[in-house]
Amino acid sequence: MKDMLPLYSLARELARDLVFEVDDEVVTLSIRGVLIAKINSNSYNFSFFEVSEDEFILALQTSGYIVYLGIESDNEISEDAYSSIGRILISELMPYVNLLVEKAKSIGYSGVDILLDDDMSPTLKEAMYEILIKHRRGKTPYEQFEIA
């Protein structure tokens, strides 16, 4: 647990509100959760998991880890807006994600844990824990991801 403290601290830095203009409306995206998982791939990738009309998870894969960011919006986000929001989120958040991954590598972290739960909604929390459980069971979260 002591070795994990730097990871929790870095994850805390990701808890922030980001303001965007989407379809001529101001939208605030709040990062409420951070999950990190060691994986067997060094490739780079990203994915979106839509949880509800105003919640989603952005998965950023880099250097043998995948970092899931649980994000809540103050307004509904259309599927069309995800690509433009995704580009901005990735460019804004990758420096922090890279720091988190570098620290995980330096301490030899090889598990999966939720590093931040900043008052996530019940649906977002359920989605993040579903991902956590899938990783702990050695399964991919990309298999039929749905909230009960």
Side-chain angles (χ1 to χ4, degrees), residues 36-47:
I36 188 170
K38 176 76 173 118
I39 57 173
N40 291 325
S41 172
N42 284 319
S43 66
Y44 298 89
N45 203 348
F46 74 95
S47 300

Side-chain angles (χ1 to χ4, degrees), residues 75-91:
N75 288 318
E76 183 177 332
I77 297 178
S78 69
E79 279 188 42
D80 298 338
Y82 278 128
S83 63
S84 61
I85 288 174
R87 279 192 298 274
I88 296 167
L89 282 174
I90 291 168
S91 67

Side-chain angles (χ1 to χ4, degrees), residues 1 35 51-52 57 72 75 97 115 126-127 130 143-144:
M1 177 70 174
L35 183 149
V51 177
S52 70
I57 296 170
E72 295 179 3
N75 288 318
V97 169
L115 301 176
E126 182 179 347
E130 181 73 25
E143 303 166 0
Q144 285 301 340

Side-chain angles (χ1 to χ4, degrees), residues 2 7-8 25 47-48 55 63 65-66 72 84-85 88-89 97 99 110 112 123-124 126-128 131 133 144:
K2 182 180 167 192
L7 296 181
Y8 288 112
E25 280 189 53
S47 300
F48 282 99
E55 300 168 314
S63 303
Y65 291 86
I66 188 163
E72 295 179 3
S84 61
I85 288 174
I88 296 167
L89 282 174
V97 169
L99 280 173
S110 62
V112 57
T123 54
L124 188 55
E126 182 179 347
M128 291 288 277
I131 291 171
I133 290 167
Q144 285 301 340

